[in-house]
C-alpha cells in the first residue's frame, strides 16, 4: 500500500487509495487480506484498477542502466521482491518471509 499511498498523495485518482485497491484485488480473487504474492498480480492491478502500464522482468534481465533509466529518466517505480529477516533486512527464505521493496 505504500506505492498506492504515494499515488493517492499526488492526487492521481481515488482508485489509487489503498482501501480501493484492496477491494479491487479482493473482488478479483488476487488477495484475501492484502497479501500479493505475484509480480504478475501487481501488473494486473496496475493495469485494470489504476490504468497504468507495467511489466515483469526476471532479475537476470535487469541491468544498472535499465534501473537508472526507469527510475531517473522515465520516473517509473520498480517493485523488488525479497524475504525479510527478523531485523527486516533482506535475506533468502524461499519466499516464506516475502515482502516488496519500492524503488
Amino acid at each position: 500500500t505504500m506505492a498506492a499511498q504515494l499515488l493517492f498523495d499526488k492526487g492521481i485518482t481515488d482508485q489509487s487509495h489503498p482501501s480501493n485497491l484492496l477491494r479491487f484485488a479482493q473482488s478479483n480473487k488476487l488477495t484475501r487480506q492484502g497479501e500479493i504474492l505475484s509480480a504478475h498480480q501487481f501488473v494486473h492491478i496496475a493495469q485494470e484498477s489504476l490504468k497504468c502500464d507495467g511489466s515483469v522482468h526476471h532479475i537476470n534481465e535487469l541491468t544498472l542502466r535499465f534501473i537508472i533509466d526507469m527510475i531517473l529518466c522515465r520516473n517509473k517505480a520498480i517493485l523488488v521482491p525479497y524475504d525479510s529477516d527478523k531485523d527486516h533486512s533482506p535475506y533468502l527464505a524461499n519466499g516464506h518471509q516475502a515482502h516488496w521493496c519500492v524503488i
Side-chain angles (χ1 to χ4, degrees):
T1 61
M2 185 175 106
Q5 188 64 48
L6 290 172
L7 286 172
F8 183 73
D9 289 345
K10 289 184 177 183
I12 302 297
T13 175
D14 285 342
Q15 284 301 108
S16 65
H17 191 278
S19 62
N20 292 334
L21 290 173
L22 176 60
R23 278 194 293 277
F24 175 85
Q26 288 171 328
S27 68
N28 284 276
K29 308 281 190 240
L30 300 173
T31 187
R32 288 185 182 178
Q33 298 177 332
E35 70 287 351
I36 300 290
L37 304 177
S38 164
H40 294 282
Q41 291 174 329
F42 268 119
V43 170
H44 177 75
I45 292 168
Q47 290 172 336
E48 298 299 321
S49 183
L50 301 175
K51 307 303 181 213
C52 295
D53 59 346
S55 58
V56 176
H57 298 271
H58 190 275
I59 192 70
N60 293 340
E61 299 172 4
L62 302 181
T63 63
L64 182 57
R65 183 178 184 91
F66 174 84
I67 293 169
I68 290 171
D69 179 56
M70 292 301 285
I71 296 170
L72 298 179
C73 299
R74 299 183 192 195
N75 199 28
K76 302 284 184 179
I78 297 176
L79 292 174
V80 179
Y82 72 98
D83 287 320
S84 177
D85 203 353
K86 292 177 184 173
D87 65 355
H88 303 291
S89 64
Y91 86 120
L92 298 176
N94 296 317
H96 294 285
Q97 298 296 322
H99 288 74
W100 293 92
C101 172
V102 179
I103 302 174

